[in-house]
Amino acid sequence: MTTTDQRINLLGVESDSLVKQVGAWGNKPFRAKQLLRWVHQRGISDFDQMTDLAKTFRSTLAQRCTLAPPSVITQKVSTDGTRKWLFDVGNNNAVETVFIPEDDRGTLCISSQAGCTVACRFCSTGHQGFNRNLTTAEIVGQLWKARHDIMQDMSAARLAAANEQDLRVISNVVMMGMGEPLLNYDQVLPALLLMLDDNAYGLSRRRVTVSTSGVVPFMDRLAHDCPVALAVSLHAPNDALRDQLVPLNRKYPLAELIAACNRYLEYAPRDFITFEYVMLDGVNDSDEHARQLVDITRQVKCKLNLIPFNPFPESGLKRSTNARIRQFSSLLVDQGVITTVRKTRGEDIDAACGQLAGDVKDRTRISERMQAFKSIPITEIAS
Ligand code: SAH
Ligand code: SF4
């Protein structure tokens, strides 16, 4: 619900709540399933088009419900198919959503908060401060709108040939956009449930990833409530440095974080945690850091994703050189650590970052970060 509009935004209601709600209006539970399919699978927002629902139910829906994704400020498509949406979430705040198509999958990166309280040194979202938590409808709305736009652009020929599988153009979702998803747990959890729901987006738990800076208590709750794949933003191999780079480490230091990762693995859909490690010149990229990192990887089953830092002026930090990243990763690979590094894509639309219309500035730079998930084996890094 919005403050000005008392209608229920159906994009934010997961199955159990919807069953209760339609029940309260005198409808059987299967009506909720039908409604979910109309909304999320067919992307229909006009209740009159929901032809298998009774007319009286449709008019109740029209009176009491709405279907409203956040409005799009800009949308860009790169020559390589990478696509970005900048969504207006009010009060001059915007969040970014990025789609990266590949041969065998399409990954959508979505945001969970406008700004972020964790304030990591190397993150532009963190520097921007915290504005507010996104609602479930705003989180799912990013997926709904992206899917809608992508489908619309598919050629008529492709659509005609499409089977169920082809229609699932977004095959993976990563909560790697703006914000710390586990600090907005109450709104993020129903969004994840909708992503997995067979009547909504039907993604498997392996194909939905939550990325966290390490909010230990909510890692445990996620393990019980909705154990999707987990990525942990590590960025430093010891507490002294991690305290500086990821201030949340002062609350949940590495030993606690690693213990939480091991507890999570008992429920996780994959048998490893993905550790993200942003490569900062002269800060966390020495041989000694690599050795300490190897020690950490011995304590939990994991894969390591090295992310070349995307600089921004306020950070005062620099990206490690390619040569340093290669040496650093070789040290890890030699010790048997599965390591990947990003490959650049979508640069032509990234170039326009920060040059958007009006007062809303795109400070999220998510498409760059997303490259971590567009990773290639370390052996293929371009020199
Ligand atoms: N708050 C969550 C998810 C959003 S951040 C988290 O921290 O995991 C998603 C990823 O982008 C994190 O791994 C984060 O460390 C990384 N990131 C943030 N700023 C970056 C930058 N300037 N360059 C490269 N990666 C960055
Ligand atoms: Fe927040 Fe993640 Fe950025 Fe840290 S890296 S400030 S947790 S969005």
Side-chain angles (χ1 to χ4, degrees):
M1 284 196 208
T2 67
T3 42
T4 50
D5 186 345
Q6 291 307 302
R7 289 178 298 174
I8 298 166
N9 190 345
L10 289 177
L11 290 177
V13 190
E14 51 71 42
S15 180
D16 287 351
S17 312
L18 197 60
V19 166
K20 279 192 200 118
Q21 186 58 74
V22 304
W25 292 330
N27 292 279
K28 297 239 155 56
F30 79 92
R31 295 293 176 201
K33 292 200 170 91
Q34 286 177 307
L35 186 53
L36 281 173
R37 281 189 228 127
W38 280 112
V39 170
H40 300 286
Q41 292 184 355
R42 300 193 199 139
I44 300 294
S45 48
D46 175 1
F47 298 113
D48 268 344
Q49 287 181 37
M50 302 183 179
T51 45
D52 58 2
L53 303 180
K55 270 210 161 144
T56 47
F57 184 33
R58 278 188 269 163
S59 73
T60 306
L61 290 171
Q63 274 167 24
R64 307 200 180 209
C65 300
T66 178
L67 204 151
S71 55
V72 175
I73 302 168
T74 55
Q75 199 203 135
K76 294 184 184 148
V77 186
S78 157
T79 48
D80 67 14
T82 304
R83 218 168 155 144
K84 296 206 298 192
W85 294 257
L86 196 67
F87 287 101
D88 184 1
V89 291
N91 283 339
N92 220 14
N93 284 295
V95 296
E96 196 180 42
T97 305
V98 179
F99 177 65
I100 299 198
E102 295 173 73
D103 290 344
D104 58 342
R105 61 181 169 169
T107 305
L108 190 74
C109 171
I110 61 186
S111 296
S112 57
Q113 299 179 309
C116 184
T117 50
V118 181
C120 299
R121 273 284 313 276
F122 50 83
C123 175
S124 53
T125 306
H127 276 253
Q128 165 180 351
F130 178 67
N131 190 266
R132 70 170 173 85
N133 285 325
L134 298 190
T135 62
T136 304
E138 286 168 328
I139 297 166
V140 174
Q142 296 169 62
L143 173 55
W144 187 89
K145 179 72 174 122
R147 188 171 179 273
H148 178 269
D149 288 356
I150 293 166
M151 300 274 290
Q152 220 168 35
D153 284 8
M154 283 165 76
S155 71
R158 169 112 194 264
L159 266 183
N163 58 33
E164 272 284 292
Q165 207 57 37
D166 292 334
L167 287 174
R168 216 170 281 166
V169 282
I170 296 171
S171 62
N172 296 57
V173 172
V174 293
M175 301 287 304
M176 274 192 92
M178 257 175 130
E180 170 48 60
L182 296 188
L183 288 178
N184 184 17
Y185 192 76
D186 290 347
Q187 299 297 320
V188 166
L189 177 62
L192 295 174
L193 294 174
L194 278 169
M195 289 171 203
L196 304 186
D197 194 322
D198 281 340
N199 293 303
Y201 299 93
L203 300 174
S204 76
R205 291 193 291 127
R206 305 163 64 87
R207 290 178 175 270
V208 176
T209 300
V210 165
S211 175
T212 181
S213 53
V215 194
V216 165
F218 285 98
M219 289 167 66
D220 288 325
R221 282 188 60 183
L222 189 67
H224 288 95
D225 295 342
C226 189
V228 293
L230 190 70
V232 171
S233 293
L234 197 61
H235 306 313
N238 61 63
D239 280 321
L241 184 56
R242 197 162 189 273
D243 281 351
Q244 300 304 312
L245 296 178
V246 184
L248 192 69
N249 194 69
R250 294 172 204 158
K251 203 163 178 188
Y252 308 113
L254 280 169
E256 282 184 39
L257 179 60
I258 291 161
C261 288
N262 278 317
R263 289 195 297 276
Y264 196 88
L265 280 175
E266 289 172 29
Y267 301 86
R270 297 177 184 272
D271 62 355
F272 62 89
I273 302 283
T274 303
F275 282 138
E276 294 158 84
Y277 195 96
V278 66
M279 295 298 293
L280 300 165
D281 183 37
V283 175
N284 65 354
D285 64 349
S286 72
D287 288 358
E288 178 53 24
H289 291 128
R291 279 189 285 272
Q292 292 175 6
L293 200 48
V294 170
D295 283 345
I296 289 185
T297 63
R298 299 275 187 261
Q299 297 167 47
V300 52
K301 276 188 106 179
C302 62
K303 291 187 180 175
L304 196 64
N305 225 326
L306 300 180
I307 315 173
F309 171 59
N310 292 301
F312 58 101
E314 303 95 314
S315 74
L317 297 163
K318 283 194 299 189
R319 174 189 294 188
S320 308
T321 63
N322 278 354
R324 182 82 290 260
I325 297 175
R326 270 201 305 280
Q327 279 162 13
F328 192 86
S329 54
S330 298
L331 274 167
L332 293 154
V333 171
D334 288 349
Q335 294 299 315
V337 183
I338 300 170
T339 309
T340 52
V341 74
R342 76 138 197 198
K343 175 177 156 190
T344 303
R345 273 186 69 175
E347 280 181 315
D348 53 336
I349 50 174
D350 294 343
C353 277
Q355 297 172 352
L356 296 159
D359 291 321
V360 183
K361 287 203 181 68
D362 176 4
R363 299 171 63 163
T364 58
R365 304 183 66 84
I366 286 161
S367 37
E368 290 100 326
R369 293 185 212 162
M370 266 296 290
Q371 306 306 337
F373 269 78
K374 182 64 203 70
S375 293
I376 53 168
I378 199 76
T379 44
E380 293 174 36
I381 308 174
S383 51

